[in-house]
Amino acid sequence: MKKINKERAKWILQKMEDIRHFEAAAKKLFAAGDIPGFVHLYAGEEAIATGVCAHLSENDSITSTHRGHGHCIAKGCDLKGMMAEILGRKTGLCKGKGGSMHIADIDKGMLGANGIVGGGITLATGAGLRNQYLKTKDVAVCFFGDGASNEGSFHEGLNLASIWKLPVVFINENNMYGEGTPHQYASSTETISERAVAYDMPGETIDGKDVVAVYEAAGKAIDRARKGNGPTLIECLTYRDHGHFEGDEQKYKAREGKEKELADRNSVDEFKDYALKEKLLSKKDIENINKQSEEDVQEAIDFAENSSIPEPESLYEDVFAE
Amino acid sequence: MARQITMMQAINEALEQAMDKDENVFLIGEDQSGGATVEHLEEENEDAFGGVFGVTSGLMGKFGRERVMDTPIAENGYMGTAVGAAATGLRPVVELMFNDFIGYCLDTILTQGSKMRYMFGGKAKVPLTIRTTHGAGAGAAAQHSGSYYGLFGAIPGVKVVVPSNAYDAKGLLLSAIEEDNMVVFSEDKTLLGTKEVVPEDYYKVEIGKAKVKREGTDITIVTIGKMLYVALDLAEKLEKESVSVEVIDLMTVSPWDQDTVIESIKKTGRLAIIDEANPHNNTATDIASVIGDKAFDYLDGPIKCICAPDTPVPFASNLEQLYLPNVDRVMDTASEIIEDLKQ
């Protein structure tokens, strides 16, 4: 695993800032009534997508969740295409057919946000099977939430990945809430990582607010997978800053103790402090990255808003491959 | 004399030829290689099982367990894995032992695989073949005998084929495996042992095309799977009463061949459909609805749907026989039509 050098630090901060700015814009556009359907925001959890995807190339695959924008951005999807997609434009990554909850770009190895809780777990297992079958060194990473860890697909997907020693890394984003239900109520075990024992794979719980901790744990697991040593389960403790969906009043949240502690932390600022202290980035670098990210997201909004809606005929297109 | 083999052998041969032709084709499901997954037992168990009906038997010996993959009994797990593998470039052939187990893995078919291409703006391909079995008549009762091809057929993005004989089974399966789409290939478990002349070469039968199996002028009967044989028996009987029956084997349930059915109705003016599925919201009702809409002017009488009753499949043999559409039951409907013809 490569250590975080200057170049990598720049990439990490850029992606974290892109996620922050993109999500802030999505929040605003949704409030203005410009985005159809639901929007589930990821900002606040960006340390996880960024820390993991820093190890991946376009040949590696990821599957994602309802909260998929951050994973898309970290996996290298085009911001313009993403913004156009969530606004339902024909220039969107999915020609306006997927929207926020199903955003995907197979060419970038992004196998889709997912409208089904736990839906990506077996798909990632399948992408891992493909990698093993074709004898590549590619890995598949499955991002899934604490809610998904109680779905049957979690058991089946992890068991299959384990018996076949597939190159899959299961990244659990425990943001404390599955929709409106707290993890502590919904789960039979205190941590999700301890369930790894049942599937004979390494499992650990890490600080999901700390991008460096995520980077290191994911790096080890991904190396292990690339070497053919099988899957790993990593539980990243984080906090869902936003509602389950935009407009959710979040009356169910406790906001005390551990929850408050996590809610008060800011992963982006923490990484900036780290990078300054380690002399990986200068103040000027940080300013430039922030400015660049603001510009890129604004450009994405302009592009999306100036794009046409899909042609009516496209309703019938792409049901089947010809 | 031309070679005759069973539908089971024909399917096995199609799988072997597809795997020979394309290295990305592999088999995955429960008991596909049958115990050969245990190291040091490969040779002994090579032909041990081959799926519950033995259809994939022997393939593990030729292709190895990397390409004939046994899974745990985990339908959702392996179906989703197959969808993920297909979406990333492989060409899996999954065996879902009985179509009744669809409940466990419907999510990955209905909400993942079938929608990927559309949701992702045409970028994804999901070249996945799902082999499964349907049909009553084997004494397997309610949880192993249902006919749910119509249920799969209701899903956009999924093609559904139901062969009635070994020749078509081989050709349709080779077409299905070459398709860049999800295809459900539904085998009637009671037809697997039936023989037909089957060429040894690699050939394809087109998906989406029905076949006129018998020409006639008084009534068109559309059939699915083994209902073909009920209709052919009926046609023989009616011929003696000077009623001429045209029999169409639908073969593809979704998207079904509207042109062939409409052309036939233009000639006969009457339509009956025999479908072993339960009577509501099935393929027969879909055909009746489309024909009522698109070919009403060619019809000289009401469309008749002959289906299983609105019950699960019973166990006791006499009840199971009452459940299945058969010649006697079809005769009742036929008599009504004959009365109508005479007027």
Side-chain angles (χ1 to χ4, degrees):
Chain A
M1 179 180 59
K2 284 183 197 151
K3 284 201 73 81
I4 300 179
N5 57 18
K6 286 183 181 176
E7 191 195 348
R8 204 154 279 238
K10 220 169 182 174
W11 184 94
I12 288 173
L13 186 61
Q14 180 84 53
K15 292 296 180 193
M16 289 178 99
E17 290 280 19
D18 284 353
I19 295 170
R20 280 273 157 116
H21 288 117
F22 188 92
E23 294 294 66
K27 189 175 177 67
K28 228 164 148 181
L29 289 165
F30 184 81
D34 293 342
I35 300 179
F38 312 116
V39 169
H40 307 80
L41 297 181
Y42 188 71
E45 303 177 41
E46 57 279 274
I48 305 171
T50 310
V52 173
C53 291
H55 298 283
L56 304 179
S57 79
E58 282 180 10
N59 295 327
D60 300 308
S61 309
I62 65 165
T63 64
S64 169
T65 68
H66 274 51
R67 219 166 290 289
H69 303 164
H71 306 126
C72 270
I73 291 170
K75 194 64 176 54
C77 296
D78 175 51
L79 291 179
K80 293 206 283 279
M82 283 181 64
M83 194 60 85
E85 185 57 36
I86 68 174
L87 289 178
R89 305 303 162 105
K90 74 173 186 185
T91 53
L93 282 184
C94 307
K95 301 182 193 164
K97 298 266 190 68
S100 168
M101 220 174 355
H102 310 105
I103 196 162
D105 189 349
I106 286 237
D107 297 340
K108 301 275 183 191
M110 165 57 187
L111 304 185
N114 211 303
I116 302 297
V117 173
I121 299 176
T122 55
L123 300 181
T125 303
L129 176 64
R130 172 257 185 209
N131 298 337
Q132 188 181 70
Y133 190 93
L134 297 178
K135 299 185 168 61
T136 68
K137 292 284 172 203
D138 305 330
V139 297
V141 172
C142 171
F143 292 100
F144 66 105
D146 44 293
S149 72
N150 298 320
E151 289 275 4
S153 59
F154 171 82
H155 166 71
E156 295 190 30
L158 269 70
N159 186 56
L160 288 178
S162 179
I163 64 169
W164 294 330
K165 279 205 180 324
L166 298 180
V168 187
V169 177
F170 297 98
I171 301 285
N172 174 249
E173 301 179 322
N174 186 347
N175 64 18
M176 306 188 90
Y177 287 93
E179 294 212 25
T181 304
H183 166 67
Q184 64 182 45
Y185 168 83
S187 174
S188 59
T189 52
E190 190 181 334
T191 67
I192 289 162
S193 66
E194 69 199 80
R195 297 184 182 184
V197 175
Y199 309 106
D200 191 28
M201 67 175 79
E204 64 174 323
T205 299
I206 63 165
D207 180 358
K209 280 281 187 179
D210 178 357
V211 69
V212 180
V214 175
Y215 180 85
E216 285 173 357
K220 265 187 267 171
I222 289 166
D223 278 355
R224 181 181 136 84
R226 285 199 208 284
K227 282 180 188 145
N229 295 326
T232 302
L233 171 63
I234 299 173
E235 175 184 20
C236 305
L237 289 181
T238 186
Y239 187 69
R240 200 183 72 206
D241 283 352
H242 297 271
H244 170 59
F245 49 83
E246 278 307 278
D248 173 5
E249 289 180 52
Q250 306 183 67
K251 285 181 178 165
Y252 47 82
K253 278 189 171 174
R255 292 190 180 85
E256 57 191 24
K258 180 81 182 158
E259 182 168 345
K260 184 169 187 319
E261 198 185 297
L262 279 162
D264 287 346
R265 287 174 59 190
N266 181 327
S267 301
V268 184
D269 288 348
E270 283 183 24
F271 182 65
K272 285 178 188 166
D273 291 344
Y274 171 86
L276 283 170
K277 202 178 106 215
E278 297 291 321
K279 298 196 168 33
L280 293 167
L281 296 172
S282 67
K283 279 196 172 151
K284 188 74 191 155
D285 291 333
I286 291 171
E287 261 171 47
N288 287 344
I289 289 169
N290 183 49
K291 195 161 153 275
Q292 184 67 50
S293 181
E294 267 179 10
E295 281 172 18
D296 290 349
V297 170
Q298 188 54 51
E299 201 185 323
I301 297 168
D302 294 343
F303 171 80
E305 287 182 337
N306 290 319
S307 292
S308 311
I309 55 172
E311 314 294 343
E313 307 84 76
S314 73
L315 171 66
Y316 302 99
E317 290 169 2
D318 297 324
V319 176
F320 288 112
E322 295 304 324
Chain B
M1 196 183 130
R3 183 186 66 146
Q4 288 205 355
I5 57 172
T6 63
M7 190 193 279
M8 193 166 96
Q9 289 167 322
I11 293 168
N12 183 285
E13 191 168 276
L15 293 171
E16 182 179 350
Q17 291 181 357
M19 291 174 83
D20 269 334
K21 190 176 181 207
D22 183 350
E23 287 194 345
N24 286 339
V25 176
F26 69 102
L27 314 184
I28 180 168
E30 294 155 11
D31 297 314
Q32 291 299 283
S33 58
T37 19
V38 179
E39 272 179 66
H40 81 265
L41 290 180
E42 292 99 331
E43 282 180 25
E44 265 174 73
N45 285 339
E46 190 175 296
D47 296 316
F49 220 146
V52 70
F53 294 105
V55 175
T56 57
S57 182
L59 295 174
M60 144 68 198
K62 177 163 181 189
F63 297 104
R65 59 174 170 237
E66 288 77 21
R67 295 186 68 193
V68 183
M69 294 190 73
D70 271 351
T71 69
I73 299 174
E75 289 82 4
N76 182 42
Y78 66 72
M79 195 64 78
T81 298
V83 170
T88 51
L90 299 183
R91 214 166 264 280
V93 181
V94 181
E95 183 176 300
L96 176 66
M97 207 180 272
F98 293 92
N99 73 170
D100 310 69
F101 306 164
I102 186 62
Y104 271 117
C105 55
L106 190 57
D107 173 65
T108 43
I109 299 171
L110 174 68
T111 60
Q112 310 296 342
S114 70
K115 292 175 177 165
M116 257 185 198
R117 185 171 184 81
Y118 196 76
M119 282 194 310
F120 298 177
K123 273 192 177 176
K125 276 195 308 198
V126 187
L128 172 61
T129 303
I130 301 169
R131 287 184 44 245
T132 190
T133 62
H134 67 268
Q143 291 179 342
H144 289 73
S145 304
S147 291
Y148 301 123
Y149 37 77
L151 195 145
F152 295 111
I155 305 172
V158 177
K159 297 186 181 183
V160 185
V161 297
V162 182
S164 66
N165 62 78
Y167 175 89
D168 290 331
K170 180 175 169 183
L172 283 167
L173 183 54
L174 286 170
S175 292
I177 295 170
E178 281 196 19
E179 273 267 342
D180 283 336
N181 295 295
M182 284 180 71
V183 182
V184 173
F185 181 88
S186 198
E187 299 157 20
D188 190 308
K189 56 178 86 67
T190 62
L191 289 180
L192 286 170
T194 60
K195 285 189 172 180
E196 184 73 54
V197 174
V198 176
E200 284 176 46
D201 52 331
Y202 186 106
Y203 65 91
K204 292 193 285 179
V205 171
E206 191 181 345
I207 290 175
K209 287 291 281 183
K211 269 187 199 165
V212 176
K213 299 293 270 202
R214 179 191 168 108
E215 297 206 11
T217 52
D218 295 331
I219 177 169
T220 300
I221 300 184
V222 173
T223 67
I224 298 158
K226 74 164 169 267
M227 295 301 110
L228 168 68
Y229 304 103
V230 177
L232 290 174
D233 283 354
L234 177 77
E236 296 267 311
K237 279 194 176 181
L238 291 184
E239 194 174 27
K240 290 174 193 144
E241 301 188 37
S242 303
V243 177
S244 165
V245 180
E246 177 139 313
V247 178
I248 295 175
D249 181 359
L250 200 60
M251 296 161 66
T252 302
V253 166
S254 181
W256 59 272
D257 183 354
Q258 297 183 11
D259 293 345
T260 297
V261 177
I262 291 173
E263 279 311 305
S264 177
I265 296 166
K266 280 185 188 169
K267 196 165 63 170
T268 64
R270 284 166 208 277
L271 173 66
I273 308 136
I274 318 181
D275 180 355
E276 192 192 318
N278 295 118
H280 305 297
N281 306 305
N282 62 13
T283 306
T285 58
D286 185 48
I287 293 171
S289 146
V290 170
I291 296 303
D293 178 35
K294 293 194 173 172
F296 186 76
D297 289 348
Y298 306 119
L299 288 170
D300 298 325
I303 301 168
K304 298 286 182 185
C305 292
I306 302 151
C307 302
D310 198 10
T311 68
V313 181
F315 172 66
S317 301
N318 64 323
L319 294 181
E320 190 178 30
Q321 286 311 311
L322 285 174
Y323 175 93
L324 272 169
N326 59 23
V327 175
D328 292 340
R329 270 184 60 206
V330 175
M331 265 311 277
D332 293 344
T333 310
S335 306
E336 287 172 31
I337 296 168
I338 293 161
E339 283 304 307
D340 195 29
L341 274 171
K342 284 178 185 161
Q343 281 168 17

